[in-house]
């Protein structure tokens, strides 16, 4: 299907105005206009479908009510160490046009689906992170606080040979607005040979906000792309974290954590494509659901025909705290090369009654016991988060939510 | 190895499955699916009006529903042209009601079943054997002792006449309605033959009940319907085997199986299918399980060009349980898409799914499963285990489980592993004097053991023999 109801400001004039504001070159404007023109033809991103059911209803969203691209407002920190270049897009189009031109849209096709095209046509803010050869860059921070009805954010990370970088991203909402909001973020990571990218993200938008995020990395020979994906906020999140292992011996690890309450809906995907030999992937996700919250998890390990000597692992665990919540999971293995060691597992369950009994018999009240067990449930994934700051942020948000 | 196994091993399985007979039909419908064909089938069977009406309603569903096309990784059905399939062939058997004894059958049909080892199996004191040839069950026998207890085992066409009330109540109503999917609709329109099993309250049928289905004619469709009703506290094990020789044009098998498992009853349904490699095998099998009942599905899917089969269990009553064991083997040009579906609709229900697949020479296996736990189905548990063994780099193996969990007090676990056949294991066995093929064969036999140990010995032997032949690449 195609979504037809778009806001009247989603027009060529709007796109030209945004592009002009950022001082963009013509080729980038053309990319935007092409994406805009394609909207009529494009489909919503894939969601899990079983006969008779779409697990996430993206067609039900009323884009007209919350897409307001010309009044975008945000507060942004884009900080990094001197060795790396961390540039707002308006500067990047001047100072690093070559890099933008080479990589923009090369990892995520702007016309991949309706929402990527919408994001490409309308993004008004963004960041370029560039790490030159042999440079180690720690503590790159991209913090975005959305003040407007809608915000379209674009991030490009380029690491040259044998460099490394740690990036922490955080999205939240500031000033309140009338009605629903929309946040859309595209992240492209082009990891050069033997480089090491660690990209951590904490999504903490308010619960009136609909959120579409697609992050995808392209790993060159012996490169590593690691993701930490924390989802706490939003009314509905459709988030996908993906790595294409295109280089020999490349690796990826995804650590995900989500915590839904009230009537939040999380549609979370972790995907990896093993396209060459000797590649390794490890996908780990844990989530907790309370109240009427719902999670849909899809994990895909796709081992291509040329991916000899592959190692691929996936684990997903969901803890349900209420009878009204719903946890759906589909961990998929697609194996085209037999020289593979692959496994996946998924579990859904409640808090162990014996654990509860043990804790309460030690003098804790029910709620404290439950909270401790929930915090304990996240420990195995939090331990995998190598960046202390992000780990603490996540721990704090989990604790806050438990005491809300 | 027991003498039984020795004896069965001596049978030339390749010859048993690859031969075909000249077709001799008494009534043969036109190709394609029209109201005339449906009316012809119903009239030829002398059916009551209500059954004809159900067929015609199913035909409407067939005409309205789209072909399944966009499931992720779905087998390609574009080569399946239902307009070219002959839905109904009644073989030329003198006695319409099915022959009373083996010797009454025409010689060529006897010969066919001799080669398949059916009477041989019966001589081993199996309780009953139904053999379906084309669209009709031509031979059935049920030991008197079961009849005395009120057990019914007959062909489905006869059941419509002899057990009309039971059939009218259960046939494609609540379990597999024709609106369920495109091929259930097709099946409802042109179904023919199959088995009817009725087990009264508290009766245990100690020996497995067996039926063997075979398609012999080129370009035909086979649409047998199996209806099993196990009343409260009863127990029965039903086994079907299927095969068809290979022809140039495509065959279609679209069976329907409905199982009603009463309170505290126990039904096991075992299948070994080895359709020829131009057969599309698109079935709908479903069980409804009442309080404390238990349903077990054991499936070995070997043959066919494409199989789409996901036996479904609805756990309707408290403490109901389901076990699924499936094995899929896909060789060159084959796409075996199989798995299981379980709906947990009551508290304290349990299910297990164990799936094994082997792919080689470009074959494609897929586990597709759905576990649904409804709100209120508290203290339910399910465990899904999938293992895939791949022989070479041309083959593909996918695992696509879906889990929908609406209830928090549950225990849901899914696990899957994929691997190649272990070089070390092969080396070890070779160093013990086995050649490469035998070593691999032995590893595969070990891999599928959880399936074979659930089957009666002759089916287990047959399954092993079939896999052996597949491994040698000698089965057409």
């Amino acid at each position: 299907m195609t979504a037809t109801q778009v806001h009247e400001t989603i027009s060529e004039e709007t796109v030209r105005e945004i592009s002009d504001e950022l001082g963009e070159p013509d080729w980038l404007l053309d990319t935007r206009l092409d994406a805009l023109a394609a909207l009529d033809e494009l489909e919503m991103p894939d969601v899990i479908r079983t006969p008779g059911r779409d697990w996430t209803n993206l067609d039900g969203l009323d884009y007209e009510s919350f897409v307001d691209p010309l009044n975008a407002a945000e507060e942004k920190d884009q900080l990094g160490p001197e060795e790396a270049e961390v540039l707002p897009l308006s500067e990047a189009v001047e100072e690093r046009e070559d890099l933008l031109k080479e990589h923009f849209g090369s990892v995520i096709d702007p016309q991949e689906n309706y929402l990527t095209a919408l994001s490409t046509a309308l993004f008004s803010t963004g960041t370029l992170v560039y790490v030159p050869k042999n440079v180690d860059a720690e503590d790159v921070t991209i913090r975005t606080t959305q003040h407007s009805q809608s915000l379209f954010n674009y991030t490009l990370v380029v690491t040259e040979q044998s460099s490394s970088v740690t990036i922490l991203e955080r999205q939240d909402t500031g000033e309140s607005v009338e009605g629903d909001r929309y946040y859309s973020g595209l992240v492209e990571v082009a990891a050069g040979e033997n480089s090491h990218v660690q990209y951590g993200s904490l999504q903490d938008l308010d619960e009136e906000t609909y959120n579409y995020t697609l992050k995808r990395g392209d790993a060159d020979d012996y490169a590593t792309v690691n993701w930490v994906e924390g989802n706490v906020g939003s009314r509905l999140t459709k988030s996908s974290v993906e790595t294409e292992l295109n280089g020999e011996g490349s690796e990826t690890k995804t650590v995900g954590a989500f915590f839904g309450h009230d009537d939040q809906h999380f549609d979370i995907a972790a995907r990896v494509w093993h396209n060459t030999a000797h590649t390794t992937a490890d996908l780990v996700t844990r989530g907790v659901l309370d109240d009427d919250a719902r999670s849909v998890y899809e994990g895909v390990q796709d081992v291509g025909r040329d991916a000899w000597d592959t190692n691929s692992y996936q684990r997903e665990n969901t803890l349900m705290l209420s009878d009204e919540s719903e946890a759906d999971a589909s961990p998929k293995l697609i194996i085209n090369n037999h020289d593979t060691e692959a496994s996946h597992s998924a579990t859904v369950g409640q808090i162990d009654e014996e654990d509860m009994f043990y804790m309460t018999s030690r003098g804790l009240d029910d709620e404290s016991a439950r909270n401790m067990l929930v915090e304990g449930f996240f420990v195995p994934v939090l331990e995998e988060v190598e960046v202390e700051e992000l780990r603490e942020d996540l721990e704090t948000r989990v604790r806050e939510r438990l005491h809300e | 190895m027991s003498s039984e196994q020795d004896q069965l091993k001596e049978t030339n399985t390749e010859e048993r499955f690859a031969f075909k007979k000249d077709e001799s039909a008494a009534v043969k419908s036109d190709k394609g699916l029209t109201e005339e064909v449906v009316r012809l089938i119903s009239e030829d069977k002398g059916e009551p009006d209500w059954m004809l009406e159900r067929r015609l309603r199913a035909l409407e569903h067939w005409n309205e529903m789209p072909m399944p096309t966009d499931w992720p990784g779905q087998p390609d059905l574009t080569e399946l042209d239902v307009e070219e399939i002959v839905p109904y062939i009644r073989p030329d058997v003198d006695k319409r009601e099915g022959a009373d004894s083996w010797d009454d059958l025409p010689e060529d049909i006897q010969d066919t079943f001799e080669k398949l080892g059916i009477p041989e199996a019966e001589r081993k004191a199996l309780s009953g054997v139904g053999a379906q040839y084309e669209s009709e069950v031509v031979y059935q026998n049920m030991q008197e002792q079961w009849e005395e207890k009120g057990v019914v085992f007959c062909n489905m066409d006869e059941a419509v006449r002899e057990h009309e009330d039971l059939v009218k109540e259960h046939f494609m109503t609540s379990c597999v309605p024709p609106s369920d999917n495109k091929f259930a609709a097709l099946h409802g329109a042109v179904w023919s033959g199959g088995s009817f099993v009725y087990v009264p309250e508290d009766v245990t049928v100690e020996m497995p009940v067996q039926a063997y289905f075979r398609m012999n004619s080129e370009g035909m469709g086979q649409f047998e319907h199996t209806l099993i009703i196990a009343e409260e506290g009863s127990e029965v094990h039903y086994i079907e085997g299927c095969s068809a020789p290979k022809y140039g044009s495509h065959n279609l098998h679209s069976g329907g199986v409905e199982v009603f498992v009463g309170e505290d009853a126990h039904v096991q349904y075992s299948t070994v299918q080895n359709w020829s490699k131009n057969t599309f095998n698109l079935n709908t099998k479903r069980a409804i399980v009442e309080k404390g009942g238990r349903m077990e599905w054991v499936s070995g899917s070997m043959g066919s060009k494409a199989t789409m089969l996901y036996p479904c269990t609805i756990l309707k009553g408290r403490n109901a349980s389901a076990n699924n064991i499936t094995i899929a083997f896909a060789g060159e040009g084959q796409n075996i898409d199989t798995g299981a579906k379980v709906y947990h609709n009551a508290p304290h229900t349990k299910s297990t799914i164990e799936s094994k697949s082997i792919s080689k020479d470009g074959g494609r296996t897929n586990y597709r499963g759905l576990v649904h736990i409804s709100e209120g189905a508290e203290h339910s548990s399910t465990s899904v285990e999938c293992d895939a063994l791949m022989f070479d780099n041309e083959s593909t193996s996918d695992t696509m489980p879906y889990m929908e969990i609406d209830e928090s007090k549950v225990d849901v676990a899914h696990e899957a592993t994929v691997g190649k056949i272990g070089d070390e294991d092969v080396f070890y066995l070779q160093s013990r004097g086995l050649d490469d093929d035998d070593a691999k064969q032995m590893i595969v036999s070990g891999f599928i053991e959880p399936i074979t140990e659930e089957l009666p010995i002759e089916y287990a032997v047959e399954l092993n023999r079939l896999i052996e032949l597949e491994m040698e690449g000698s089965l057409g």
Side-chain angles (χ1 to χ4, degrees):
Chain A
M1 80 113 250
T2 53
T4 48
Q5 291 196 324
V6 288
H7 198 271
E8 56 188 8
T9 61
I10 304 177
S11 64
E12 200 178 313
E13 291 70 46
T14 305
V15 170
R16 286 183 186 279
E17 204 175 321
I18 296 167
S19 180
D20 192 48
E21 190 75 24
L22 287 170
E24 282 176 5
D26 285 348
W27 64 265
L28 192 48
L29 173 62
D30 289 343
T31 306
R32 285 179 184 270
L33 291 173
D34 290 347
L36 181 78
L39 283 177
D40 287 343
E41 306 292 319
L42 291 170
E43 312 245 330
M44 281 291 158
D46 285 340
V47 296
I48 299 183
R49 290 193 172 93
T50 44
R53 189 176 183 193
D54 284 3
W55 288 15
T56 298
N57 182 6
L58 293 174
D59 298 326
L61 296 188
D62 179 10
Y63 292 89
E64 190 162 0
S65 73
F66 49 56
V67 171
D68 185 14
L70 289 176
N71 289 310
E74 96 269 16
E75 196 179 300
K76 196 164 214 146
D77 290 329
Q78 289 156 303
L79 302 168
E82 281 178 12
E83 308 90 282
E85 292 179 38
V86 180
L87 302 172
L89 264 186
S90 55
E91 289 176 32
V93 290
E94 278 184 27
E95 292 178 26
R96 283 292 176 188
E97 195 195 334
D98 52 333
L99 280 178
L100 270 181
K101 196 167 183 177
E102 184 181 348
H103 295 289
F104 187 98
S106 69
V107 185
I108 297 171
D109 177 358
Q111 296 178 29
E112 183 162 316
N113 62 54
Y114 183 85
L115 296 181
T116 58
L118 195 68
S119 213
T120 304
L122 300 178
F123 72 89
S124 60
T125 180
T127 312
L128 168 71
V129 179
Y130 172 66
V131 190
K133 197 171 167 180
N134 296 327
V135 164
D136 292 338
E138 298 298 317
D139 298 331
V140 174
T141 307
I142 306 170
R143 197 182 175 118
T144 310
T145 303
Q146 177 180 347
H147 291 306
S148 48
Q149 190 101 47
S150 60
L151 190 67
F152 295 87
N153 195 1
Y154 174 81
T155 309
L156 174 64
V157 179
V158 180
T159 55
E160 299 288 2
Q161 193 181 341
S162 302
S163 66
S164 79
V165 65
T166 299
I167 299 164
L168 293 188
E169 193 196 19
R170 183 169 175 153
Q171 303 109 29
D172 52 23
T173 28
E175 289 160 21
S176 61
V177 297
E178 286 258 321
D180 295 331
R181 292 177 187 240
Y182 183 61
Y183 174 88
S184 172
L186 299 187
V187 177
E188 295 187 279
V189 174
E193 191 182 328
N194 198 39
S195 69
H196 189 283
V197 177
Q198 174 136 282
Y199 195 106
S201 177
L202 177 59
Q203 180 272 109
D204 198 10
L205 300 161
D206 75 18
E207 285 167 39
E208 307 303 314
T209 306
Y210 292 86
N211 168 37
Y212 175 66
T213 314
L214 175 57
K215 303 186 175 88
R216 192 179 293 152
D218 171 348
D220 203 340
D221 290 352
Y222 308 105
T224 301
V225 178
N226 290 344
W227 305 96
V228 180
E229 170 79 359
N231 278 294
V232 183
S234 83
R235 164 77 191 79
L236 178 149
T237 280
K238 164 91 180 151
S239 162
S240 210
V241 176
E242 310 177 343
T243 310
E244 290 184 27
L245 297 169
N246 290 323
E248 169 120 0
S250 55
E251 294 183 23
T252 188
K253 180 174 190 169
T254 296
V255 178
F258 61 85
F259 192 161
H261 72 163
D262 293 342
D263 60 350
Q264 287 185 300
H265 180 113
F266 292 126
D267 183 322
I268 308 266
R271 300 193 177 94
V272 60
W273 290 269
H274 296 264
N275 293 334
T276 43
H278 314 298
T279 51
T280 302
D282 193 7
L283 315 176
V284 192
T285 302
R286 284 201 167 199
V288 172
L289 295 174
D290 203 352
D291 306 328
D292 293 306
R294 170 154 187 246
S295 69
V296 179
Y297 169 84
E298 185 179 25
V300 179
Q301 300 153 272
D302 188 317
V303 178
R305 193 129 291 179
D306 302 319
W308 297 93
D309 186 23
T310 299
N311 287 284
S312 193
Y313 307 99
Q314 178 185 178
R315 285 161 285 159
E316 201 264 350
N317 309 95
T318 313
L319 186 64
M320 294 172 83
L321 301 178
S322 85
D323 283 347
E324 288 69 45
S325 55
E326 180 176 349
D328 303 325
S330 182
K332 294 176 180 165
L333 277 166
I334 299 167
I335 311 291
N336 288 296
N337 187 305
H338 73 299
D339 190 9
T340 297
E341 216 178 88
S343 68
H344 68 206
S345 65
T347 65
V348 179
Q350 59 184 330
I351 286 182
D352 192 83
E353 278 173 28
E354 277 177 38
D355 290 347
M356 271 301 275
F357 178 75
Y358 176 83
M359 305 281 276
T360 49
S361 72
R362 289 290 175 281
L364 287 167
D365 62 61
D366 275 7
E367 197 182 324
S368 309
R370 188 191 84 145
N371 292 352
M372 279 181 81
L373 289 167
V374 171
E375 285 183 50
F377 175 77
F378 278 115
V379 167
V381 288
L382 291 171
E383 275 178 350
E384 306 274 338
V385 179
E386 288 167 35
V387 188
E388 202 178 332
E389 193 188 328
L390 182 60
R391 188 170 61 234
E392 283 172 2
D393 268 4
L394 270 164
E395 274 169 354
T396 305
R397 282 303 284 126
V398 167
R399 203 168 301 128
E400 281 172 8
R401 173 143 297 177
L402 285 168
H403 292 98
E404 267 168 18
Chain B
M1 205 182 262
S2 74
S3 62
E4 271 182 332
Q5 275 173 311
D6 285 337
Q7 199 185 337
L8 280 158
K9 246 196 130 152
E10 281 161 20
T11 319
N12 185 330
T13 311
E14 187 184 355
E15 195 182 302
R16 280 169 61 195
F17 285 92
F19 74 98
K20 54 200 177 198
K21 285 282 172 191
D22 292 336
E23 135 200 342
S24 65
V27 176
K28 182 175 174 180
S29 76
D30 289 337
K31 284 181 188 173
L33 196 51
T34 59
E35 193 178 323
E36 289 67 52
V37 167
V38 170
R39 284 182 185 279
L40 170 99
I41 296 169
S42 190
E43 198 188 325
D44 191 54
K45 291 178 182 299
E47 282 176 355
D49 288 346
W50 62 266
M51 182 55 87
L52 174 63
E53 277 159 29
R54 281 190 200 179
R55 286 180 183 276
L56 293 171
R57 259 207 313 279
L59 180 66
E60 280 171 32
H61 285 294
W62 162 260
N63 288 329
E64 282 161 17
M65 293 168 104
M67 287 285 268
T69 51
D70 56 354
W71 297 13
Q74 189 203 315
D76 182 7
L77 302 180
T78 50
E79 281 182 59
L80 172 65
D81 184 357
V82 175
E83 296 310 309
E84 285 301 311
I85 300 274
V86 178
Y88 183 66
I89 296 176
R90 176 157 61 80
D92 193 6
V93 181
D94 290 342
K95 285 200 172 178
R96 286 299 317 279
E97 305 299 314
D100 287 334
S101 82
W102 189 256
D103 297 331
D104 292 343
L105 286 172
E107 211 170 298
D108 62 336
I109 294 180
Q110 267 191 47
D111 190 30
T112 301
F113 287 110
E114 286 287 349
K115 281 196 174 159
L116 289 168
I118 292 293
E120 187 179 75
E122 195 199 31
R123 277 195 292 274
K124 292 190 179 65
L126 293 162
S127 64
V129 173
Q132 175 150 358
Y133 193 81
E134 318 293 29
S135 303
E136 297 258 341
V137 173
V138 290
Y139 172 70
Q140 272 178 354
N141 180 34
M142 188 79 185
Q143 289 191 348
E144 277 175 16
Q145 60 190 109
W146 308 128
E147 282 172 6
E148 280 165 16
K149 290 184 179 178
V151 176
V152 179
F153 177 41
C154 65
N155 89 58
M156 200 60 225
D157 299 317
E158 185 185 328
V160 173
R161 295 187 295 270
E162 306 290 323
H163 305 279
E164 189 172 348
D165 290 348
L166 276 173
V167 175
K168 195 170 179 182
E169 182 186 342
H170 295 94
F171 186 92
M172 296 192 84
T173 51
S174 56
C175 194
V176 180
S179 57
D180 186 76
N181 66 71
K182 181 86 173 166
F183 292 97
L186 173 69
H187 174 87
V190 297
W191 77 273
S192 181
S195 306
F196 176 76
V197 179
Y198 175 81
V199 187
E201 214 172 304
D202 295 325
V203 170
T204 298
V205 182
E206 280 105 351
M207 303 275 186
V209 175
Q210 299 198 5
Y212 207 99
F213 300 100
R214 181 166 174 83
M215 272 192 280
N216 196 51
S217 300
E218 179 162 6
M220 84 164 288
Q222 184 159 304
F223 309 95
E224 83 285 354
H225 192 92
T226 301
L227 178 57
I228 299 172
I229 301 167
E231 299 283 13
E232 188 175 339
S234 68
E235 204 170 314
V236 66
H237 181 182
Y238 179 87
I239 301 179
E240 62 171 19
C242 325
S243 71
K246 189 176 168 71
Y247 288 101
S249 61
H250 294 304
N251 283 41
L252 169 64
H253 174 249
S254 188
V257 174
E258 301 183 281
V259 184
F260 293 85
V261 184
E263 272 185 41
D264 299 314
H266 177 194
V267 177
Q268 180 172 340
Y269 192 104
S270 305
T271 309
V272 177
Q273 71 85 357
N274 187 43
W275 302 111
S276 66
K277 286 173 191 165
N278 62 345
T279 299
F280 287 91
N281 184 39
L282 311 164
N283 296 288
T284 308
K285 299 186 176 181
R286 188 166 304 151
I288 296 177
V289 187
E290 306 292 339
K291 200 167 88 184
R294 183 147 72 100
M295 180 69 208
E296 290 182 82
W297 298 99
V298 179
S299 317
S301 294
M302 307 286 307
S304 84
K305 175 189 180 63
T307 284
M308 291 173 77
L309 171 62
Y310 328 96
C312 171
T313 312
I314 296 165
L315 298 172
K316 190 178 160 199
R318 199 180 173 86
N319 288 321
S321 66
N323 300 317
N324 291 266
I325 299 176
T326 70
I327 178 163
F329 190 117
E332 193 180 346
Q334 286 185 275
N335 191 341
I336 309 284
D337 195 86
T338 184
K341 281 211 283 192
V342 184
Y343 289 86
H344 291 257
N345 291 346
H348 296 277
T349 48
K350 276 192 179 54
S351 66
T352 61
I353 298 169
E354 196 174 346
S355 160
K356 303 248 178 194
S357 79
I358 301 166
S359 52
K360 71 187 276 278
D361 300 332
R364 201 184 159 111
T365 59
N366 184 19
Y367 169 81
R368 193 187 301 277
L370 175 67
V371 175
H372 180 97
I373 300 189
S374 303
E375 197 174 341
E378 54 188 37
H379 305 295
S380 291
S381 67
T382 179
S383 119
V384 182
E385 257 186 75
C386 306
D387 296 310
L389 190 61
M390 296 172 75
F391 271 86
D392 52 58
N393 202 35
E394 282 65 54
S395 305
T396 304
S397 181
D398 300 344
T399 309
M400 301 198 172
Y402 296 93
M403 286 171 269
E404 299 178 330
I405 316 296
D406 280 348
E407 166 61 46
S408 69
K409 296 184 194 67
V410 294
D411 185 3
V412 176
H414 171 95
E415 261 181 71
T417 60
V418 174
K420 61 176 174 175
I421 201 158
D423 290 339
E424 278 173 39
D425 295 339
V426 174
F427 177 79
Y428 173 84
L429 289 168
Q430 281 174 335
S431 73
R432 291 287 176 280
L434 289 169
D435 68 27
D436 190 55
D437 284 348
D438 288 345
K440 285 180 177 168
Q441 171 62 36
M442 190 169 273
I443 290 165
V444 169
S445 298
F447 181 75
I448 63 164
E449 201 179 296
I451 313 288
T452 49
E453 70 190 14
E454 287 295 319
L455 292 170
I457 188 74
E458 72 274 13
Y459 276 82
V461 170
E462 178 179 316
L463 192 64
N464 266 320
R465 277 289 292 146
L466 286 169
I467 286 175
E468 231 170 90
L469 287 163
E470 289 287 346
M471 302 267 295
E472 290 162 10
S474 56
L475 197 61

